[in-house]
Amino acid sequence: MTALSTVVVGQLGTGGQLLLWALRQRLADRGETTPKLVQGFLLACGLSGVEQALQCFERLFDCLERHARCEVGFCPLRCACLSRDEATCLALLAAAQAGDIVRSERLACALVGAERAAALCEAARALADVLGRAGHVFSLPPSAAVREAVLH
């Protein structure tokens, strides 16, 4: 069961779409860093930024995968809807990019719990900085509410 948000992929900017694709692709690849994932970051960040962006993304994904209180709910790779956890993760990157520490910590707590929130916030801040330098801005539509859980 995955709780869906009211956000759909078409409402996201390029930064949000990149991160959403990367999260889903990494999950579809069973946690492996495949050439497809590398190619996506290469296209998004260029040759000079791909390695750092990929390292920061892997750190973020590891924090989510290892430290989540329960399995983080991601939708299938080509799904048009965002799950609540995906929307929360994108909101975390948006808050980190905006320098909103309080909101970042609150969102990280929702994903991984209070004891692991600092590590997730740090990983989000690093990834947001790298992707920001590559021109990717994170934002979510203001109506990123949660729908009831559905089998996906």
Side-chain angles (χ1 to χ4, degrees), residues 112-126:
V112 297
E115 63 281 350
R116 307 271 196 240
L120 183 58
C121 282
E122 184 181 322
R125 197 169 20 259

Side-chain angles (χ1 to χ4, degrees), residues 30-48:
R30 301 191 192 320
E32 297 294 318
T33 302
T34 61
K36 189 180 285 188
L37 193 64
V38 174
Q39 182 67 25
F41 276 98
L42 177 62
L43 291 171
C45 301
L47 191 55
S48 64

Side-chain angles (χ1 to χ4, degrees), residues 47-117:
L47 191 55
S48 64
V50 66
E51 188 175 327
Q52 187 179 17
L54 198 52
Q55 286 174 346
C56 291
F57 170 74
E58 287 177 350
R59 220 168 90 212
L60 177 90
F61 190 87
D62 288 345
C63 284
L64 288 169
E65 187 178 55
R66 243 185 264 153
H67 302 306
R69 291 177 293 181
C70 58
E71 184 177 325
V72 177
F74 294 145
C75 292
L77 189 57
R78 289 182 173 75
C79 182
C81 300
L82 271 71
S83 72
R84 176 181 50 205
D85 290 338
E86 290 169 337
T88 302
C89 193
L90 292 176
L92 172 62
L93 269 284
Q97 202 169 54
D100 190 342
I101 297 167
V102 173
R103 187 161 189 248
S104 293
E105 289 173 353
R106 184 177 52 80
L107 292 165
C109 283
L111 288 168
V112 297
E115 63 281 350
R116 307 271 196 240

Side-chain angles (χ1 to χ4, degrees), residues 121-146:
C121 282
E122 184 181 322
R125 197 169 20 259
L127 182 58
D129 288 346
V130 168
L131 293 178
R133 285 194 302 270
H136 300 287
V137 178
F138 290 91
S139 62
L140 276 181
S143 63
V146 176

